[in-house]
Amino acid sequence: MASPLPILRIGRLNIRMKTIKLTLLWRAVFSALLLTLIAACDSDDDDDAVDPEPVAATSIVRIINAIPDAPSLTLTVNDENFGSAAFGQVSGGFTSATGGTETMSIVYQSTDGETINFLENLTVPTGEGREVYILLTGTFATPISSLIDNPLTTTALGVQFGSSVNNGQAVDVYLTDADTSLETAVPAATLNFDGLSSQAEFASGTDYRIRITTVGSTDVLYDSGTISLQTSGNQIFLLVDYFGPGDSPFRVVSIASGVASSLQGEALPAAIRVANFVTNTPSVDFYFNDTNDLPEFPGITFGEYTDYLNLDAGARSINITPNGEKTNFIFEQNVTLVAGESRTLLLAGNPSSEDGVFGIVVPDNDRPISTELLLRFLHGSAESGAIDFYVLETGETVDDETPDIEGATLLTNINVPVAIGTYDLIATPTGETTVLAGPTRLSVDVGIYTIILTESENGGAPFTFAVREESLD
């Protein structure tokens, strides 16, 4: 009866013996592996060692569109698009880890959507960790391409200056602390048209300032205000043609990491004008801020455009009253005016109606483009309702064509690019073919046209188009 207990003890002993044997076996295997590794490390024979393959440094190529009369331009490689750049902007990038060169082209879109070659077979260096910009200058008819080629990765800040402005004027460029006098400063670069300085190292900071003068003079042509320099990498300050208010012959854009931006503190004026299409009111007065002083624009009649008013950039309060009634506000709006840009305030509606007067401040485009003309459409009729807008070539009808703008409502603001030619402008109620306004015949050969759908001076029908050819002086 005592036999089960010794059997249990023997079983435990067998289990322990097996565990001990397995442990010793694993220790032996581990020791052998360790000795093998040590022997390999101590070997003097390195002939069979395999080094890892080096990783090729990536490069990136982009275009800078600095051609003042060019449309948006697109970078292509092997018929694949790598981003577009409007004037003064930078395209997306083509990246490559392969050294050598790549053949690239620049294309643009016609007004009917056709892709057209602009510059072909450009040989561009790639690989080796480069940041390359194809700088496009000159005019659309006679373009010039050049390369800006810098290391892509760097811990230092490399600053360059360039000019795409072809006005025959050489300039000195100063980059100084914001409060440094030019009387004691030394130019960072002297530039002619299409000139590009070499890179120079600068410390990053937030209290710099760019001033540009004619060569040898301290009379300032352009003042950036206070600007910041980035911490490292490549930063290019490029002079480009200027189309805004004031007398500056150019402005400066900062280009870094594939992004072009204007300098927010630059000493350029803003501008605003008024287009008055308020019905049932003989004329209106335009005030900034309060109405204690005289109006900036007094007695604006129906259908009238004022001249542009140049002023400092910043926030303003707009107040509109019937002429001579400075306490009777029929429209109020806060607006921020931007340095170097012009704006138009469109006023429409009837102050005697339940909805009253409407207004919208829209940006103006004063840059002509060689490949297209711009029709800027504004819906300024409170009584017409939603409409479809057609720009028809000779012989076309609304029955056979798709609207250029569908479902436009009051204060809609849309640009329609067209080719040189003669067109009929027509508006219909949305989704219908009954003509509400037009046809108004328009022959265009250059520039920008503002087209406002409006109504009679007393409100309602007849609905018409007010067409204005903008001055591009």
Side-chain angles (χ1 to χ4, degrees):
M1 295 296 295
S3 59
L5 186 57
I7 294 173
L8 289 174
R9 286 176 180 170
I10 293 169
R12 290 176 182 173
L13 180 59
N14 287 338
I15 292 172
R16 287 179 182 176
M17 290 299 293
K18 290 179 181 178
T19 303
I20 291 170
K21 289 178 180 179
L22 288 173
T23 301
L24 291 174
L25 178 61
W26 282 115
R27 285 180 178 175
V29 172
F30 177 77
S31 298
L33 289 173
L34 183 60
L35 289 172
T36 302
L37 290 172
I38 293 172
C41 291
D42 289 341
S43 174
D44 293 330
D45 185 5
D46 294 329
D47 293 341
D48 296 330
V50 178
D51 294 327
E53 293 186 5
V55 178
T58 300
S59 67
I60 187 164
V61 180
R62 306 179 179 97
I63 60 174
I64 302 173
N65 182 0
I67 300 176
D69 61 336
S72 181
L73 300 174
T74 301
L75 175 67
T76 68
V77 181
N78 298 323
D79 295 326
E80 182 178 355
N81 292 347
F82 287 90
S84 301
F87 171 71
Q89 297 296 313
V90 177
S91 73
F94 167 80
T95 58
S96 173
T98 304
T101 61
E102 190 77 43
T103 300
M104 303 185 181
S105 297
I106 312 295
V107 302
Y108 68 94
Q109 297 288 317
S110 68
T111 55
D112 59 4
E114 181 184 359
T115 298
I116 300 176
N117 290 323
F118 179 56
L119 292 173
E120 296 182 87
N121 300 321
L122 301 175
T123 301
V124 181
T126 59
E128 302 175 4
R130 327 166 83 109
E131 182 177 41
V132 180
Y133 290 100
I134 304 172
L135 175 60
L136 302 173
T137 59
T139 65
F140 186 79
T142 56
I144 300 169
S145 64
S146 55
L147 296 180
I148 303 174
D149 188 352
N150 291 311
L152 179 59
T153 303
T154 176
T155 57
L157 170 61
V159 175
Q160 279 178 289
F161 303 91
S163 175
S164 65
V165 180
N166 191 7
N167 61 1
Q169 183 179 37
V171 295
D172 284 336
V173 182
Y174 294 84
L175 176 59
T176 66
D177 291 338
D179 58 357
T180 296
S181 169
L182 293 188
E183 299 293 339
T184 58
V186 177
T190 297
L191 298 174
N192 291 292
F193 164 66
D194 225 24
L196 181 70
S197 74
S198 56
Q199 267 198 344
E201 287 192 12
F202 279 82
S204 64
T206 59
D207 193 34
Y208 284 98
R209 185 179 179 188
I210 293 174
R211 282 164 287 182
I212 300 176
T213 70
T214 54
V215 174
S217 170
T218 57
D219 294 334
V220 175
L221 301 173
Y222 173 89
D223 187 343
S224 70
T226 301
I227 65 169
S228 297
L229 298 185
Q230 62 185 27
T231 56
S232 62
N234 304 311
Q235 190 163 11
I236 303 166
F237 292 101
L238 181 66
L239 281 66
V240 297
D241 287 271
Y242 174 63
F243 297 93
D247 299 322
S248 178
F250 47 77
R251 72 189 309 177
V252 175
V253 294
S254 168
I255 299 171
S257 301
V259 177
S261 55
S262 59
L263 305 181
Q264 297 303 307
E266 58 189 349
L268 296 172
I272 192 169
R273 67 178 178 180
V274 179
N276 176 31
F277 290 89
V278 175
T279 61
N280 280 317
T281 304
S283 62
V284 299
D285 294 339
F286 172 97
Y287 294 86
F288 274 133
N289 302 323
D290 61 51
T291 58
N292 294 327
D293 297 324
L294 294 175
E296 275 73 15
F297 296 120
I300 311 167
T301 58
F302 179 84
E304 180 184 356
Y305 282 79
T306 68
D307 293 332
Y308 282 106
L309 174 66
N310 289 357
L311 65 164
D312 292 336
R316 296 284 194 283
S317 173
I318 291 174
N319 294 301
I320 305 296
T321 71
N323 179 232
E325 302 179 30
K326 62 172 55 184
T327 60
N328 180 14
F329 298 102
I330 59 174
F331 178 78
E332 301 173 70
Q333 180 173 319
N334 294 323
V335 61
T336 298
L337 301 178
V338 179
E341 297 185 9
S342 301
R343 298 283 189 270
T344 295
L345 168 63
L346 169 65
L347 296 171
N350 182 350
S352 302
S353 70
E354 181 178 352
D355 293 328
V357 173
F358 301 85
I360 183 173
V361 177
V362 295
D364 296 331
N365 184 355
D366 297 328
R367 184 178 70 90
I369 300 175
S370 289
T371 59
E372 63 188 42
L373 305 167
L374 199 62
L375 306 183
R376 182 175 67 169
F377 172 77
L378 289 157
H379 189 322
S381 170
E383 296 295 326
S384 68
I387 62 98
D388 292 340
F389 176 64
Y390 295 81
V391 182
L392 301 178
E393 296 182 14
T394 303
E396 294 178 338
T397 68
V398 296
D399 296 313
D400 302 323
E401 301 298 326
T402 301
D404 291 272
I405 303 173
E406 295 186 54
T409 56
L410 181 64
L411 304 185
T412 292
N413 169 41
I414 296 178
N415 294 332
V416 180
V418 298
I420 294 172
T422 299
Y423 300 93
D424 288 328
L425 310 178
I426 293 177
T428 69
T430 294
E432 301 179 19
T433 57
T434 303
V435 174
L436 184 72
T440 298
R441 180 63 56 89
L442 177 65
S443 295
V444 294
D445 56 5
V446 67
I448 298 167
Y449 296 79
T450 297
I451 301 164
I452 299 178
L453 174 66
T454 185
E455 53 196 66
S456 71
E457 188 172 351
N458 295 319
F463 302 101
T464 59
F465 294 111
V467 179
R468 178 184 178 89
E469 182 178 358
E470 301 293 356
S471 171
L472 300 179
D473 296 339

